Amino acid sequence: MKNLIFTLIIFVAAVGCTEQASRHEPQGEKVLLISFDGFRYDYLDKTETPNFDELVETGVISEGLIPIFPSKTFPNHYAIATGLYPENNGFVGNNMYDPEMDSRFAIRNREAVENPDWYQGEPIWNTVEKAGKNAGTMFWVGSEAPIQDMRPTFWKKYDESMGDSARIDSVVKWMTLNNEKEIDLATLYFHFVDTQGHRFGPDSPELVEAVERADDLVGYLMNRLDESELIETTNLMIVSDHGMSSVSRDRIVVLDDIINPEELDMIAYSPVIMANVSEGGKLDEIYQSLKENEEHYKVYLKDEIPDRYHLKDHPRIPELTIVADPGYTINTREVFETRPEYPSGGAHGFDNQEKEMHALFLAVGPDIKNGYKMKAFENVHLYELMTHLLSIEPAQNDGSIDSVSVMLN
């Protein structure tokens, strides 16, 4: 009798596992990943957004998408693409120095941006291509470099002047070629929400106009997907890389009041200063001065960086990291005196646990629940989610499908 009961328990458990697996068996054929840079988690509450609202009603929205630290554009877009934290994919900031390469990276340095040596890990478009499927990237961090000596089937060099609707039209065309180059994964990127957030701040009328422009684009996108008969086969994810905080001249930290800035070799700038000590400078003395005057910022030696930042175990992390408190700007007296309007508007890069740094996540499609709101989650899990939806084997990553499977049918 005991053996019979045990056998029945095993059978029921096996059936349950089978049902669970089949329940999450992807039905969609394609994934479309869209980023509105700098779109904070709560921006949909700032104005009427009928097109976003329709997706919320028929899909899944989270309480926020938690960025990796630093909450900057390049590190977060590449974390989404690879499912890796900065110390594992090498992207530790918008500006970096690699001592092994003896070279600096800056996001506006085209030679650096297109150099694959800066990019570690495997981006989703490479995973797709390795699985025998096709990918098309309309502007995504890393997609302009031949990482692992590979390119997606279609890719575009970043061109900020390219029209919004033209970007959508190009991607829809790639998704409907009806030949061997038709793509299974597509990415889209739009910068204008972040631009207005920086210039005018997250509570400005100009930011509201940018949110409304994004809503109009979502309406246009859904019409194009419907016309092209992609609605029933495409899982759509709308994300952002980070949020935005208001900054002002009233909340500044002047480095010269604490140390001699000339003793620092600055690599990254406010709100997260990354620096090495210049030749002749004394690390211990500089650190102690910063630590003793630690107000409106936190200072860390490399081995003191909090584990939750997933940042310290990489050679691109310099000797000192100084993190400004939310809304504060830390810089030299010279910068403040020569730029009387600085800082103003908005900024990001702050601690990724701060709610104002959290971004938008919204998904809809044949494998996504209807009208479901989920808890905030880290963006590194999106890589696993995309590989699951495309039924392909993921590369090594720091994410987990279990962290996001609650959104699946």
Side-chain angles (χ1 to χ4, degrees):
M1 178 62 73
K2 287 183 179 180
N3 288 339
L4 177 60
I5 293 173
F6 180 75
T7 301
L8 286 172
I9 291 173
I10 295 295
F11 175 76
V12 170
V15 170
C17 290
T18 303
E19 289 179 350
Q20 184 73 8
S22 63
R23 188 183 305 132
H24 291 286
E25 193 70 27
Q27 303 300 309
E29 300 171 6
K30 300 178 186 291
V31 169
L32 175 54
L33 174 66
I34 302 175
S35 171
F36 286 102
D37 197 320
F39 203 114
R40 203 169 70 186
Y41 76 99
D42 60 347
Y43 278 178
L44 295 183
D45 298 330
K46 289 184 174 293
T47 186
E48 298 296 319
T49 53
N51 295 302
F52 276 114
D53 293 347
E54 186 171 342
L55 298 187
V56 172
E57 291 174 5
T58 57
V60 170
I61 190 169
S62 74
E63 294 177 355
L65 185 62
I66 303 171
I68 55 91
F69 180 83
S71 48
K72 292 281 192 175
T73 295
F74 269 56
N76 275 281
H77 278 100
Y78 200 57
I80 291 171
T82 61
L84 293 169
Y85 291 117
E87 61 190 4
N88 294 326
N89 69 24
F91 244 87
V92 303
N94 280 353
N95 296 277
M96 304 179 285
Y97 171 72
D98 189 306
E100 297 174 359
M101 297 166 60
D102 190 22
S103 183
R104 287 181 182 253
F105 179 96
I107 60 176
R108 289 178 177 79
N109 181 332
R110 294 306 308 173
E111 183 179 352
V113 167
E114 296 173 17
N115 180 354
D117 293 339
W118 286 104
Y119 303 87
Q120 299 168 2
E122 180 172 294
I124 182 65
W125 48 88
N126 280 12
T127 307
V128 168
E129 297 282 344
K130 288 180 178 181
K133 296 176 182 282
N134 296 330
T137 56
M138 179 62 72
F139 310 153
W140 201 274
V141 171
S143 66
E144 298 171 89
I147 301 168
Q148 300 176 326
D149 294 321
M150 293 180 65
R151 297 277 194 186
T153 299
F154 295 103
W155 65 280
K156 288 282 189 182
K157 181 176 288 192
Y158 184 60
D159 179 6
E160 189 172 299
S161 67
M162 185 176 186
D164 298 335
S165 59
R167 302 181 191 195
I168 292 173
D169 291 341
S170 294
V171 164
V172 170
K173 181 180 179 180
W174 296 344
M175 296 173 74
T176 53
L177 286 174
N178 199 29
N179 61 32
E180 70 279 1
K181 288 192 172 183
E182 181 175 308
I183 65 173
D184 306 281
L185 167 80
T187 72
L188 272 165
Y189 171 82
F190 302 99
H191 68 278
F192 57 84
V193 175
D194 182 70
T195 299
Q196 299 301 79
H198 276 295
R199 289 178 180 173
F200 303 104
D203 300 312
S204 65
E206 291 84 358
L207 185 280
V208 170
E209 290 176 5
V211 172
E212 292 170 347
R213 175 178 168 186
D215 187 71
D216 289 342
L217 266 182
V218 168
Y220 179 78
L221 168 71
M222 298 311 293
N223 285 337
R224 292 291 287 115
L225 293 178
D226 188 32
E227 294 167 358
S228 304
E229 299 182 349
L230 289 167
I231 291 286
E232 299 301 321
T233 59
T234 302
N235 287 297
L236 168 67
M237 289 187 285
I238 299 177
V239 305
S240 188
D241 47 353
H242 53 71
M244 190 74 70
S245 288
S246 295
V247 292
S248 72
R249 195 79 175 187
D250 297 328
R251 291 178 291 178
I252 64 173
V253 176
V254 182
L255 271 177
D256 306 61
D257 293 339
I258 308 167
I259 60 170
N260 179 3
E262 293 184 2
E263 293 184 345
L264 291 183
D265 177 18
M266 305 274 275
I267 298 167
Y269 304 87
S270 188
V272 180
I273 290 178
M274 292 185 179
N276 288 315
V277 173
S278 302
E279 186 175 351
K282 296 181 179 180
L283 176 60
D284 290 344
E285 292 181 6
I286 293 171
Y287 171 75
Q288 286 303 322
S289 293
L290 288 164
K291 194 68 178 176
E292 290 168 4
N293 293 277
E294 201 173 46
E295 185 176 5
H296 305 309
Y297 68 86
K298 297 287 189 298
V299 60
Y300 304 104
L301 295 171
K302 182 173 181 177
D303 61 2
E304 294 178 333
I305 295 174
D307 291 340
R308 65 182 179 84
Y309 285 167
H310 301 282
L311 196 64
K312 62 187 176 186
D313 293 329
H314 199 282
R316 292 174 187 169
I317 304 301
E319 295 171 317
L320 285 172
T321 298
I322 309 169
V323 184
D325 288 352
Y328 276 83
T329 302
I330 183 167
N331 218 315
T332 65
R333 179 172 288 112
E334 180 183 7
V335 170
F336 288 124
E337 289 181 350
T338 57
R339 299 171 60 185
E341 301 302 318
Y342 168 85
S344 63
H348 54 87
F350 301 101
D351 192 319
N352 60 334
Q353 284 192 344
E354 296 295 332
K355 192 64 177 175
E356 286 189 333
M357 290 300 98
H358 292 189
L360 175 72
F361 175 81
L362 175 60
V364 66
D367 297 300
I368 307 298
K369 288 180 178 177
N370 287 342
Y372 184 76
K373 186 171 184 178
M374 63 185 292
K375 298 289 186 181
F377 63 92
E378 291 184 321
N379 63 16
V380 293
H381 301 304
L382 293 177
Y383 172 87
E384 280 272 346
L385 176 62
M386 289 185 284
T387 58
H388 171 80
L389 292 172
L390 290 166
S391 300
I392 59 178
E393 192 69 25
Q396 183 176 352
N397 67 90
D398 296 319
S400 167
I401 187 64
D402 292 338
S403 297
V404 290
S405 60
V406 66
M407 74 173 72
L408 300 173
N409 286 327

